[in-house]
């Protein structure tokens, strides 16, 4: 059987999720391994997902009034050392250029792991008066963080992302922007990735190197582990002081600005795969799917079949649907399996009998169910179904996350609950207890809940200052 043959190419999602992930990303041609260990090649099918993510997110940034710019890949080594926590945090994973043009460089150059330093330097040049503020820019680029263990999309030495950087006159404005961008990410995750997330402030231990406060959005993957899917940071005046981002205020006094930054990366592709995928392979949310609808002709050599398929393809294209007609000479069964594995949200089957009766058969990848609809007005049926699929994917993932958040009062309860779940528990705020949880249960504090209603610390039993979501994380 063609189908069994196909499914057997992917490891079982329930018993070997890591291998399932690797099989899926490689076999659906999202990605391949680069010649340098830890690097990845994003192939056209994967890159098209990234382009859809970019387009959707960029439209939101533009609407919020953020401007795009581009800053250099190479950063003087001395910049990295200007903010003490920043250099300490990033030193172990920076790649450094020491030679160029056949000679040793006077000052080594860092391949950007993130751009707070170089953007801080430029903002220091550009900001003079209160009239120059706020400055709100974003760049789409690659960054490099040398990683020892790597996995496509989740952790690679080089990855693509956006990084937004803003400077404001007032602390409250920068803090507000930090929360606004977190809310923007959450809405984007829901609407475009069909992915529910938990958002909240990170603990001191988990915050960005050099930030005053970091906020994160965490998504629950198929195996119940957490994937940090985006972060926003309030820097206070740390980077402004390190890079001389000063302005003359209305009253004539010289003040330091307040900065913040935010980013999401190609990691989001990994998040989509591990949130929605099933035993057959990928399930792509319609808003980011490179192919939203595939048309598979049945008995395509019969007179009129291909013509009808092409006419339908043209109609859907005109309606703005990303549609592909698979008129290759593979069997329909082979095509079904191929496009199911590749996660195409909707499949249309059209054969002589359908054409004769004025119907078409639609297969939904999210439910794996078939339904018949009239051939006339197919554009409307498709648009409605794509919308339904998006909603269903979100609700399904949201239900899973809700059902898999469990409470714990003690370390033992936390350990018993954390396998496949997020554990919501009290925390006294002490680093020692956070470290103990990591050691005892291999779980980390993902984010602190905005609602604090727990009484005692899950570790030491003292009064809880925060309510935290603990989980094992990618
Ligand atoms: Zn404690």
């Amino acid at each position: 059987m063609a189908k069994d043959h196909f499914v057997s190419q992917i490891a079982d999602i329930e018993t070997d999720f890591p291998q399932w992930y690797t099989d899926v990303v490689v076999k659906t041609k999202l990605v391949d391994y680069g010649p340098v260990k830890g690097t990845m090649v994003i192939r056209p099918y994967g890159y098209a997902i990234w382009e859809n993510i970019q387009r959707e997110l960029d439209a939101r940034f533009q609407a919020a009034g953020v401007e795009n710019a581009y800053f250099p890949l190479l950063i003087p080594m001395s910049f990295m050392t200007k903010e003490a926590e920043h250099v300490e945090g990033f030193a172990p994973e920076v790649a450094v250029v020491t030679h160029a043009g056949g000679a040793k460089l006077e000052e080594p150059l860092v391949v950007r792991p993130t751009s707070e330093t170089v953007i801080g330097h430029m903002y220091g040049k550009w900001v003079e008066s209160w009239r120059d503020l706020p400055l709100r820019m974003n760049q789409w680029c690659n960054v490099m963080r040398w990683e020892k263990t790597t996995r496509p999309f989740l952790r690679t030495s080089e990855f693509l992302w956006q990084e937004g950087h803003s400077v404001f006159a007032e602390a409250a404005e920068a803090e507000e922007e930090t929360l606004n961008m977190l809310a923007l990410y959450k809405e984007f995750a829901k609407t475009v990735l069909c992915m529910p997330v938990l958002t909240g402030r990170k603990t001191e231990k988990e915050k960005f190197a050099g930030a005053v406060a970091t906020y994160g959005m965490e998504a629950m993957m198929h195996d119940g582990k957490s994937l940090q899917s985006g972060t926003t940071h309030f820097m206070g005046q740390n980077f402004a002081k390190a890079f001389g981002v000063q302005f003359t205020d209305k009253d004539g006094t010289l003040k330091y600005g307040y900065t913040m930054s935010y980013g999401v990366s190609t990691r989001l592709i990994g998040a989509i795969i591990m949130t929605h995928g099933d035993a057959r392979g990928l399930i792509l949310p319609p808003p980011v799917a490179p192919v939203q609808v595939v048309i598979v002709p049945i008995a395509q050599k019969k007179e009129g079949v291909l013509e009808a398929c092409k006419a339908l393809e043209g109609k859907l294209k005109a309606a703005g649907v990303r549609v592909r007609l698979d008129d290759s000479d593979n069997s329909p069964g082979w095509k079904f399996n191929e496009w199911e594995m590749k996660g195409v949200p909707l499949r249309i089957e059209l054969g002589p009998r359908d054409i004769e009766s004025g119907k078409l058969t639609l297969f939904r990848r999210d439910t794996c169910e078939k339904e018949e609809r009239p051939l006339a007005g197919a554009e409307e049926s498709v648009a409605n179904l794509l919308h339904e699929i998006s909603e269903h994917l979100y609700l399904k993932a949201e239900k899973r996350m809700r059902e898999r958040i469990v409470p714990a009062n003690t370390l033992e309860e936390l350990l018993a609950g954390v396998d496949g779940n997020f554990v919501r528990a009290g925390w006294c705020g002490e680093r020692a207890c956070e470290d103990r949880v990591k050691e005892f249960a291999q779980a980390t504090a993902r984010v602190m809940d905005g609602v604090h209603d727990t009484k005692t610390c899950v570790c030491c039993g003292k009064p809880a200052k925060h309510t935290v979501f603990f989980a094992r994380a990618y």
Side-chain angles (χ1 to χ4, degrees):
M1 293 285 286
K3 189 169 202 165
D4 293 331
H5 168 69
F6 235 90
V7 171
S8 69
Q9 291 187 359
I10 310 174
D12 181 54
I13 189 169
E14 303 305 335
T15 56
D16 195 353
F17 190 55
Q19 189 60 46
W20 173 91
Y21 179 82
T22 304
D23 287 349
V24 164
V25 294
V26 172
K27 283 172 181 163
T28 59
K29 298 184 181 169
L30 293 177
V31 84
D32 205 347
Y33 299 97
V36 175
K37 193 170 175 287
T39 61
M40 65 173 167
V41 178
I42 305 175
R43 302 181 71 175
Y45 196 56
Y47 198 77
I49 298 175
W50 181 238
E51 287 181 309
N52 290 333
I53 287 173
Q54 274 188 308
R55 198 185 50 248
E56 288 279 356
L57 202 48
D58 204 62
R60 285 164 172 77
F61 292 152
Q62 303 293 326
V66 176
E67 293 181 300
N68 281 328
Y70 186 78
F71 295 84
L73 168 76
L74 297 174
I75 299 175
M77 179 68 112
S78 58
F79 280 26
M80 292 299 291
T81 57
K82 284 189 181 182
E83 213 291 328
E85 274 189 28
H86 192 66
V87 67
E88 198 187 318
F90 279 100
E93 51 189 40
V94 290
V96 182
V97 179
T98 56
H99 290 73
K104 190 167 186 281
L105 296 170
E106 269 180 41
E107 179 180 359
L109 304 172
V110 167
V111 180
R112 66 179 161 223
T114 179
S115 302
E116 274 75 9
T117 59
V118 65
I119 292 177
H121 174 80
M122 298 312 297
Y123 280 5
K125 283 175 68 174
W126 296 338
V127 174
E128 288 177 351
S129 137
W130 61 272
R131 291 180 194 85
D132 300 324
L133 298 178
L135 265 186
R136 300 161 75 221
M137 293 184 201
N138 172 66
Q139 75 168 341
W140 291 96
C141 66
N142 58 343
V143 286
M144 182 161 280
R145 298 177 185 179
W146 216 254
E147 300 276 3
K148 291 194 180 76
T149 51
T150 58
R151 300 192 67 195
F153 296 123
L154 304 178
R155 203 172 285 281
T156 49
S157 295
E158 183 188 356
F159 56 87
L160 304 180
W161 78 345
Q162 61 71 215
E163 50 178 322
H165 298 265
S166 303
V167 53
F168 295 88
E170 304 289 338
E173 294 175 295
E175 284 180 301
E176 190 187 350
E177 179 90 334
T178 308
L179 293 175
N180 285 347
M181 286 303 169
L182 187 69
L184 185 153
Y185 282 158
K186 187 173 184 168
E187 181 277 326
F188 165 79
K190 178 177 181 175
T191 314
V192 178
L193 311 179
C194 308
M195 187 173 82
V197 291
L198 293 176
T199 54
R201 189 170 169 176
K202 293 259 172 189
T203 63
E204 283 295 299
K205 180 182 174 168
E206 299 289 331
K207 77 174 189 189
F208 178 79
V212 170
T214 288
Y215 297 82
M217 65 169 180
E218 301 281 325
M220 182 183 276
M221 302 295 101
H222 180 86
D223 58 355
K225 281 164 88 172
S226 187
L227 186 75
Q228 178 174 295
S229 307
T231 46
T232 71
H233 316 286
F234 171 59
M235 307 299 189
Q237 293 180 315
N238 293 349
F239 285 87
K241 283 183 176 163
F243 291 95
V245 185
Q246 279 178 302
F247 66 99
T248 308
D249 208 350
K250 288 173 189 166
D251 60 6
T253 58
L254 197 58
K255 293 178 179 170
Y256 285 106
Y258 291 85
T259 66
M260 57 80 63
S261 69
Y262 49 100
V264 297
S265 71
T266 35
R267 219 173 195 225
L268 288 178
I269 300 174
I272 294 168
I273 298 165
M274 295 199 295
T275 296
H276 301 301
D278 70 4
R280 299 189 194 188
L282 296 174
I283 298 180
L284 296 178
V288 295
V291 179
Q292 294 171 308
V293 177
V294 62
I295 302 172
V296 176
I298 308 298
Q300 67 181 31
K301 294 213 168 71
K302 289 248 167 78
E303 204 189 324
V305 171
L306 268 184
E307 287 73 9
C309 288
K310 278 180 184 155
L312 180 59
E313 183 196 21
K315 266 207 280 186
L316 291 175
K317 254 187 199 158
V321 177
R322 294 190 289 273
V323 58
R324 175 90 58 91
L325 168 60
D326 186 352
D327 56 2
S328 65
D329 59 7
N330 294 307
S331 72
W334 191 95
K335 292 175 189 176
F336 292 176
N337 292 315
E338 171 81 355
W339 294 106
E340 281 172 25
M341 184 168 76
K342 289 174 91 79
V344 172
L346 260 186
R347 175 174 81 227
I348 293 177
E349 301 164 22
L350 196 58
R353 255 180 297 166
D354 304 293
I355 296 164
E356 202 181 314
S357 58
K359 289 195 172 129
L360 47 76
T361 304
L362 288 152
F363 171 87
R364 279 176 65 155
R365 179 63 183 88
D366 60 329
T367 56
C368 292
E369 280 167 6
K370 283 188 183 185
E371 46 191 278
E372 277 194 345
R373 295 285 173 99
L375 187 50
E379 311 92 293
E380 250 174 72
S381 302
V382 164
N384 289 339
L385 276 171
L386 288 176
H387 184 71
E388 267 180 47
I389 291 168
S390 294
E391 285 200 328
H392 175 246
L393 285 177
Y394 177 80
L395 290 173
K396 194 175 156 199
E398 205 260 345
K399 182 168 177 279
R400 180 180 66 204
M401 188 168 78
R402 214 170 350 101
E403 287 172 353
R404 291 209 200 163
I405 295 175
V406 298
N409 291 309
T410 62
L411 272 183
E412 286 71 24
E413 283 178 23
L414 193 154
L415 178 64
V418 79
D419 196 16
N421 299 305
F422 288 0
V423 175
R424 189 172 180 277
W427 175 51
C428 63
E430 292 299 321
R431 173 70 180 261
C433 286
E434 199 179 348
D435 288 342
R436 179 81 182 115
V437 169
K438 174 86 192 278
E439 188 194 333
F440 191 80
Q442 297 80 53
T444 48
R446 303 317 306 160
V447 288
M448 295 188 269
D449 198 341
V451 179
H452 173 43
D453 56 7
T454 51
K455 298 278 183 291
T456 57
C457 175
V458 70
C459 185
C460 68
K462 287 179 189 158
K465 280 191 187 144
H466 305 281
T467 299
V468 175
F469 292 103
F470 291 98
R472 296 191 177 136
Y474 280 94

